[in-house]
Amino acid sequence: GPRPGPRMASAAGAPGAAPPPPIAVILLAGGVGKRMNAGMPKQLLMLRAKPILTHSIDLFLTLPETVSLTVVLDESLRDEFAAHVKAAHPEVASRLRFAPPGVERQDSVRNGLEVAGVSGKDLVCVHDAARPLVTVAEIRAVCADAREYGAAVLGVPSKATVKESADGSFVLRTIDRSRLWEVHTPQVIEAELLKTGFKKVDAENLAVTDDVSIVEQLGAPVKLTLGEYTNIKITTPEDLPIAESILQGRQS
């Protein structure tokens, strides 16, 4: 039959819609911010008087479907966030766990996966702490898609004109933009699928750039869930005023 189109993010869901599936969240906050010249890891940059990592922690801990929240974070930085969760979310503070960052992103995800204690069709929701502006509607849309298809990722059609170069000096060709998507997080995958993918990555010593790439290696389908262009990644201090204006726009 026809391929289903992207699921539009809507917070409420259709009347009588199934409740959001339970999720084990892995929040990646391990980087020590090589691209940031702020003299501090990017997850500690302040947005609206709180570290950008705290924005994601607060968002996921307010969702009833969050069964566990594993923050992949350097040990030296954990105390302040553990204290915040105890103070701000006392009733669900037991859901918070920590895992050590790995060398590569995939190692951090693997470390988070071990701590999360998931299995079978449990949904693992991997989110990058550098994306503090994701909405509840986006999270629920991508999780619903993952429940249906086994794996899903938030993304938006690419607005950029992308050119390919073979040698890094000259343009080889322009890539047809209509087929390109810019991928965001969360990326949501069934636990067993992710674990099987990791086994293959290990066995064949593959390097993967993101979580759904692990699933792609298995030849399993990954659903593209249409997200928002506002779900930006904060990688430099210059991104903060943009994030601030997005938050401002949501209030009005």
Side-chain angles (χ1 to χ4, degrees):
R3 299 288 291 168
R7 182 189 300 269
M8 284 303 294
S10 86
I23 52 174
V25 180
I26 296 177
L27 195 49
L28 301 176
V32 189
K34 288 187 273 288
R35 275 181 297 189
M36 274 289 184
N37 298 328
M40 62 159 93
K42 62 177 182 246
Q43 61 276 20
L44 302 184
L45 280 177
M46 302 299 275
L47 175 63
R48 294 243 160 139
K50 65 182 189 183
I52 61 171
L53 170 54
T54 306
H55 286 261
S56 292
I57 289 175
D58 287 346
L59 180 59
F60 281 107
L61 285 181
T62 54
L63 298 181
E65 61 264 36
T66 301
V67 180
S68 65
L69 175 66
T70 301
V71 182
V72 181
L73 181 64
D74 195 84
E75 219 163 318
S76 63
L77 303 172
R78 292 177 189 175
D79 288 355
E80 126 181 42
F81 295 101
H84 166 76
V85 167
K86 279 201 180 81
H89 308 276
E91 65 298 339
V92 292
S94 62
R95 294 181 193 171
L96 178 70
R97 302 164 188 191
F98 289 102
V103 181
E104 301 292 338
R105 177 199 167 94
Q106 67 202 63
D107 304 314
S108 291
V109 172
R110 183 195 310 258
N111 292 349
L113 197 56
E114 281 174 18
V115 171
V118 285
S119 61
K121 292 202 176 290
D122 293 349
L123 290 184
V124 179
C125 173
V126 181
H127 187 59
D128 190 331
R131 293 189 187 273
L133 300 178
V134 70
T135 61
V136 171
E138 287 176 290
I139 293 167
R140 291 194 164 155
V142 72
C143 290
D145 276 346
R147 173 76 307 153
E148 197 169 335
Y149 300 102
V153 56
L154 271 183
V156 290
S158 176
K159 285 182 175 178
T161 298
V162 180
K163 297 191 187 288
E164 184 180 348
S165 169
D167 59 2
S169 294
F170 292 91
V171 171
L172 177 64
R173 60 183 174 141
T174 302
I175 297 171
D176 176 10
R177 183 171 60 193
S178 69
R179 302 181 59 167
L180 296 182
W181 281 60
E182 185 185 308
V183 169
H184 295 171
T185 68
Q187 306 196 354
V188 189
I189 304 164
E190 286 177 358
E192 209 43 56
L193 196 56
L194 189 52
K195 289 178 179 181
T196 306
F198 269 128
K199 284 190 187 116
K200 181 177 164 109
V201 164
D202 288 347
E204 301 176 24
N205 205 8
L206 304 167
V208 286
T209 49
D210 68 355
D211 318 301
V212 292
S213 306
I214 297 170
V215 178
E216 290 160 33
Q217 297 288 348
L218 297 171
V222 176
K223 185 75 176 73
L224 282 166
T225 305
L226 183 62
E228 307 275 353
Y229 286 95
T230 52
N231 186 14
I232 63 170
K233 187 170 185 177
I234 295 181
T235 53
T236 70
E238 291 79 60
D239 297 327
L240 290 167
I242 302 166
E244 177 57 52
S245 70
I246 291 169
L247 287 174
Q248 198 65 45
R250 286 178 185 173
Q251 284 179 314
S252 50

